[in-house]
Amino acid sequence: MEKHILSKSSFIRGLQCPKSLFLYKNFYKERDAISPQQQALFSRGTDVGVLARQLFPGGVDASPSSPFKYQESVKQTQKLIDEGASIIYEAAFIFEKTLIAIDLLVKKEGQWKAYEVKSSTRISPTYLLDASLQFYVMTGCGIHLQDISIININTEYIRKGKLEMDLLFKMTSVKNEALKNQQYIKENISRLLDVAMDTRQPETPIGTHCFNPYPCDFMGTCWKKIPENSVLNLSGTAKEELFALYNSGIKTIEEIPADLNLNEQLKLQVDSLKLNRMIIDRPGIKKFLDTLKYPLFFLDFETIMPAVPFFEGTHPYQHIPFQYSMHFKESASSNLLHYDFLAEAGLDPRRPFIEQLIKDTAVPGDILTYNASFERSILNSLKKEFPQFSDEIDYITYRIKDLMFPFEQKLIYHPRMKGSHSIKNVLPALVEDLNYDSLKIGSGSIAMSAFEQLQNETDLFKIADARDALKAYCEMDTYAMVRILEVLEKVTL
Ligand code: SF4
């Protein structure tokens, strides 16, 4: 059997950037490490793929025993077809040195239909190319495909009791698009096989393609000489404009001419970096602080967004609040108190979450959050789901103020914020002794994935460890807000 040189993912990689394909083939170990956020996304895709098998139960799994043994799968697939199997999971084929696997291959009334499962809610142009390549390889191997479809998640589905697979998933035939793309696929297989087998590395410069359709995992290689003060690290405008500047010879922020027309966001970043100091609009900050009244709560929610709804009455990718941290200060000089809530895994957390929050915020006082639209939207959903708590939820929502406002409005800006008003950039710029580096969980998406994993965890040590890490992370978010407010109060003295 011929060995493959391209796979579905390396084909898409090569379309994104031929240099990325060359590096992948020749310098595989130089790839950037996968972040915990990306890892969580990959495993979500796999889980949904396995679940979708229930749409066509009773099939035979042709998956390889390891990702490096796809030849096994190709042989097994052929054997299953020869033996008359009618449902094959992870059927694999090689044609023109290109390997593909398809999640579900189903024979009905003598005709084959192929289904690729995606955990997303929409069909992207890249998914259409995936399906076009799968169609090309399968038909090239002599499979007469009556249809090829993408199965993805139906956001309209609301869980009532047991999962109903035919409602959770929706199928869309993409055969017409696949047929239109066949010549394009053929030409690009040939072009990318040349790239993959060449001994010379393509001279592809960095560009917007480094991020599209996926962030390239060779940025650590290609971007390592890009300095921190590069114009490419500015934010607040399209990447195309930054590359135009960079390619015109203006590589660093210091080299930007004073008379260059920049939008307000860019100008602030450039001025602050050139002056190497914080830029502060003291009257603007004072006006914001005057809107706050002690006692003050500092509140932050964490949510999960399961692709497959865990709980009754919820829909795919719904934000389900499972944790909050809250600091409380009676007055500017009083002691800081801390309260928190972390739901038990496996149970619907929404009702205990809102009941506890109502108790913890019962005394009057403004409630500071960072990016208030998020907390407000969660409270809004809870109000609809638990109308019996409407008045209490309104009382919380009414008192919410947004600590992000002065940073979003650039009333205060430090070069270390790197153009961002995210708390993860604002905190280290303003409060040097505090950061998320030593925490086991350092971002909302990792917290989300940690709690999702707890749903099926039985090891008590792992559960205790994850719960401690979640509590420490969420507490840091609200303690960061306390310290950021102190900085704002100080600069206006
Ligand atoms: S970082 Fe950019 S230029 Fe380098 S391999 Fe990746 S996509 Fe290509």
Side-chain angles (χ1 to χ4, degrees):
M1 181 189 301
E2 65 171 343
K3 269 204 94 181
H4 73 277
I5 290 174
L6 294 175
S7 65
K8 181 160 69 76
S9 60
S10 64
F11 176 81
I12 297 293
R13 179 186 283 275
L15 288 185
Q16 176 169 349
C17 173
K19 184 175 172 186
S20 176
L21 173 61
F22 178 89
L23 293 173
Y24 185 78
K25 283 284 168 193
N26 296 284
F27 299 95
Y28 183 79
K29 289 193 175 153
E30 306 286 312
R31 286 174 312 142
D32 304 336
I34 296 175
S35 71
Q37 287 99 314
Q38 288 168 316
Q39 192 52 57
L41 264 181
F42 293 154
S43 55
R44 168 175 282 171
T46 313
D47 295 343
V48 170
V50 171
L51 192 67
R53 291 180 184 179
Q54 293 181 32
L55 289 166
F56 300 100
V60 189
D61 189 357
S63 301
S65 54
S66 94
F68 301 102
K69 293 190 175 165
Y70 258 102
Q71 301 282 328
E72 240 179 44
S73 274
V74 176
K75 273 189 207 152
Q76 167 76 346
T77 301
Q78 194 52 55
K79 187 167 170 273
L80 290 168
I81 291 173
D82 294 343
E83 288 170 359
S86 57
I87 300 174
I88 307 173
Y89 307 139
E90 293 294 330
F93 300 90
I94 294 178
F95 179 61
E96 294 180 358
K97 298 187 167 40
T98 305
L99 165 81
I100 65 99
I102 184 94
D103 287 315
L104 307 159
L105 184 63
V106 180
K107 196 175 202 178
K108 256 192 196 165
E109 293 158 9
Q111 305 268 24
W112 286 109
K113 290 186 180 181
Y115 302 87
E116 181 66 5
V117 183
K118 304 289 182 190
S119 59
S120 68
T121 56
R122 59 179 194 92
I123 297 175
S124 70
T126 306
Y127 293 167
L128 289 177
L129 286 172
D130 275 356
S132 304
L133 178 72
Q134 289 165 319
F135 188 90
Y136 182 82
V137 171
M138 280 188 281
T139 52
C141 287
I143 302 292
H144 179 73
L145 269 186
Q146 191 198 27
D147 202 0
I148 181 161
S149 299
I150 292 177
I151 295 180
N152 52 5
I153 301 275
N154 172 20
T155 44
E156 315 265 292
Y157 169 66
I158 297 195
R159 181 165 188 166
K160 290 186 189 113
K162 264 185 77 181
L163 280 174
E164 295 157 286
M165 300 303 159
D166 50 335
L167 298 178
L168 169 64
F169 291 110
K170 60 179 181 204
M171 295 181 195
T172 311
S173 169
V174 291
K175 186 180 174 189
N176 289 341
E177 290 83 348
L179 283 171
K180 270 186 228 145
N181 286 337
Q182 292 306 282
Q183 186 59 26
Y184 175 82
I185 297 288
K186 183 178 175 56
E187 286 164 9
N188 278 288
I189 286 181
S190 159
R191 176 176 73 89
L192 296 177
L193 282 172
D194 288 345
V195 171
M197 292 187 289
D198 205 338
T199 50
R200 291 157 306 163
Q201 180 172 309
E203 295 289 330
T204 320
I206 59 169
T208 51
H209 59 272
C210 297
F211 307 93
N212 190 16
Y214 304 112
C216 178
D217 51 7
F218 283 106
M219 288 182 67
T221 304
C222 298
W223 285 62
K224 70 176 167 224
K225 290 201 178 122
I226 302 295
E228 185 132 326
N229 61 348
S230 164
V231 293
L232 298 176
N233 291 333
L234 288 168
S235 71
T237 192
K239 287 246 178 303
E240 286 77 4
E241 281 186 35
L242 298 177
F243 273 105
L245 209 57
Y246 182 82
N247 292 330
S248 74
I250 301 171
K251 306 269 186 214
T252 65
I253 293 171
E254 286 83 351
E255 287 165 3
I256 295 178
D259 59 353
L260 193 73
N261 198 9
L262 300 172
N263 71 31
E264 292 242 330
Q265 272 230 44
L266 288 177
K267 193 167 162 9
L268 184 80
Q269 292 169 64
V270 171
D271 289 350
S272 157
L273 200 119
K274 280 186 178 174
L275 297 169
N276 192 26
R277 67 173 171 78
M278 192 140 74
I279 292 180
I280 309 170
D281 170 359
R282 286 191 171 76
I285 294 174
K286 176 92 177 53
K287 204 168 157 198
F288 167 74
L289 292 177
D290 286 346
T291 65
L292 307 180
K293 280 183 286 304
Y294 282 93
L296 275 182
F297 296 88
F298 302 79
L299 180 65
D300 181 64
F301 295 170
E302 299 301 330
T303 61
I304 45 171
M305 286 172 70
V308 177
F310 294 149
F311 308 113
E312 185 74 8
T314 62
H315 60 75
Y317 292 110
Q318 179 174 334
H319 278 286
I320 309 284
F322 67 89
Q323 178 180 22
Y324 65 78
S325 166
M326 194 176 77
H327 279 91
F328 176 76
K329 261 187 131 178
E330 182 78 43
S331 69
S333 57
S334 60
N335 285 339
L336 190 62
L337 302 176
H338 182 246
Y339 305 85
D340 64 7
F341 170 86
L342 176 57
E344 292 302 324
L347 304 172
D348 186 341
R350 291 172 296 165
R351 187 173 176 129
F353 176 97
I354 194 59
E355 284 180 342
Q356 186 65 44
L357 184 65
I358 289 167
K359 275 189 210 145
D360 285 345
T361 54
V363 298
D366 282 350
I367 299 174
L368 270 176
T369 62
Y370 202 96
N371 189 13
S373 59
F374 177 68
E375 273 75 15
R376 284 199 185 104
S377 75
I378 300 300
L379 288 165
N380 240 337
S381 304
L382 289 168
K383 188 175 148 181
K384 283 185 200 135
E385 289 152 357
F386 302 100
Q388 66 272 38
F389 300 129
S390 280
D391 291 348
E392 291 91 337
I393 293 174
D394 280 344
Y395 181 53
I396 298 171
T397 312
Y398 165 74
R399 292 180 288 155
I400 286 182
K401 304 254 167 82
D402 198 344
L403 184 59
M404 191 171 79
F405 177 82
F407 302 99
E408 200 178 17
Q409 295 300 311
K410 307 289 182 221
L411 302 179
I412 178 165
Y413 183 78
H414 190 287
R416 284 201 297 265
M417 293 178 193
K418 297 178 185 157
S420 162
H421 50 262
S422 149
I423 197 166
K424 303 290 184 298
N425 288 60
V426 167
L427 180 68
L430 296 189
V431 186
E432 287 185 18
D433 63 315
L434 203 63
N435 58 57
Y436 292 78
D437 297 351
S438 60
L439 298 179
K440 279 191 186 164
I441 291 176
S443 77
S445 53
I446 301 175
M448 188 181 273
S449 133
F451 192 72
E452 280 190 14
Q453 280 165 20
L454 276 185
Q455 303 302 311
N456 301 315
E457 187 56 71
T458 51
D459 183 322
L460 294 179
F461 290 105
K462 281 190 186 160
I463 293 172
D465 206 35
R467 290 182 68 84
D468 285 349
L470 282 163
K471 284 188 171 214
Y473 167 69
C474 200
E475 182 171 355
M476 174 63 99
D477 268 345
T478 50
Y479 184 57
M481 287 162 61
V482 173
R483 297 288 302 274
I484 288 169
L485 183 71
E486 283 171 5
V487 173
L488 295 183
E489 288 173 335
K490 216 172 184 175
V491 296
T492 50
L493 284 180

